Amino acid sequence: GLATTAQTVDLLTTAINTYGGDARKAAQYADIFAKAVERGKVTADEIAASFASIGPIAAASGIEINEIAAAYARLTAAGIPAAEAATAMRSAIVGLTRVNRDLEDLQKQTGKNYLALAGQKGLVPALQELRLDADKSGVPLIKLIGRVEGLNFILSTTGPNLAAYNADLDAMGKSAGTAAAQMS
């Protein structure tokens, strides 16, 4: 009842084509996305329709698929549609990739490269550090990220929302068997 077979195949083949893998990976991806559906207000069809807009840039930036699923869960649970959640996450990554003058100055001041941190620690932990460093330096986050969609992603997953995002991310790591349970 969460998606048609065609929609599920579309999502899983896109995930495999983006992140690599075989049938075992497809089963793992199915569980992760099923957990996102369970924890958020999103369907597999909605994830399938928007995953291609976030998957490639996330994979290229070292962002794991479970982080994408946790973001779908967290943002859709807050009432943000799946397509907007994908756009927001993509905008946050692009904001770290396309370094503007304000972000460049902050990175020099802190000695941090936030995109590199995202690939090492995860996107949201890197954005949490960015948020804290921006607060300390007095630079508005919007000036650092450049797009309101990216700012919305940061505000939805860091600061007072960090614990909820981390709970969703933790759930993605414990998702084995979720798809089978939902199908039964």
Side-chain angles (χ1 to χ4, degrees):
L2 299 173
T4 67
T5 302
Q7 293 162 340
T8 303
V9 168
D10 178 39
L11 174 57
L12 296 178
T13 56
T14 303
I16 288 170
N17 290 337
T18 302
Y19 279 90
D22 54 16
R24 273 189 235 128
K25 272 295 193 188
Q28 179 185 3
Y29 296 157
D31 285 334
I32 290 169
F33 290 127
K35 187 59 77 173
V37 168
E38 178 183 294
R39 293 185 66 89
K41 293 191 295 189
V42 63
T43 65
D45 181 38
E46 292 166 332
I47 296 173
S50 59
F51 184 78
S53 70
I54 181 56
I57 192 168
S61 301
I63 309 304
E64 298 293 329
I65 201 164
N66 60 342
E67 294 180 75
I68 297 172
Y72 275 118
R74 178 66 1 233
L75 274 67
T76 62
I80 298 170
E84 287 181 36
T87 297
M89 187 174 190
R90 184 183 68 216
S91 292
I93 295 169
V94 169
L96 297 178
T97 304
R98 189 183 316 141
V99 178
N100 63 34
R101 180 72 178 182
D102 292 307
L103 182 56
E104 182 179 9
D105 290 346
L106 183 65
Q107 290 186 148
K108 285 179 185 175
Q109 178 186 341
T110 62
K112 298 176 185 176
N113 178 315
Y114 297 99
L115 182 61
L117 284 175
Q120 296 163 1
K121 296 180 174 184
L123 178 60
V124 171
L127 294 173
Q128 176 66 19
E129 285 192 41
L130 176 67
R131 184 176 183 160
L132 294 173
D133 293 342
D135 285 347
K136 287 178 192 171
S137 69
V139 179
L141 279 170
I142 190 66
K143 289 184 78 174
L144 300 170
I145 289 297
R147 293 191 52 107
V148 70
E149 297 89 350
L151 175 63
N152 284 340
F153 183 79
I154 294 170
L155 297 176
S156 296
T157 57
T158 65
N161 295 310
L162 182 61
Y165 171 83
N166 283 336
D168 287 327
L169 183 60
D170 184 57
M172 299 309 139
K174 299 174 182 172
S175 64
T178 302
Q182 287 178 358
M183 284 187 273
S184 67

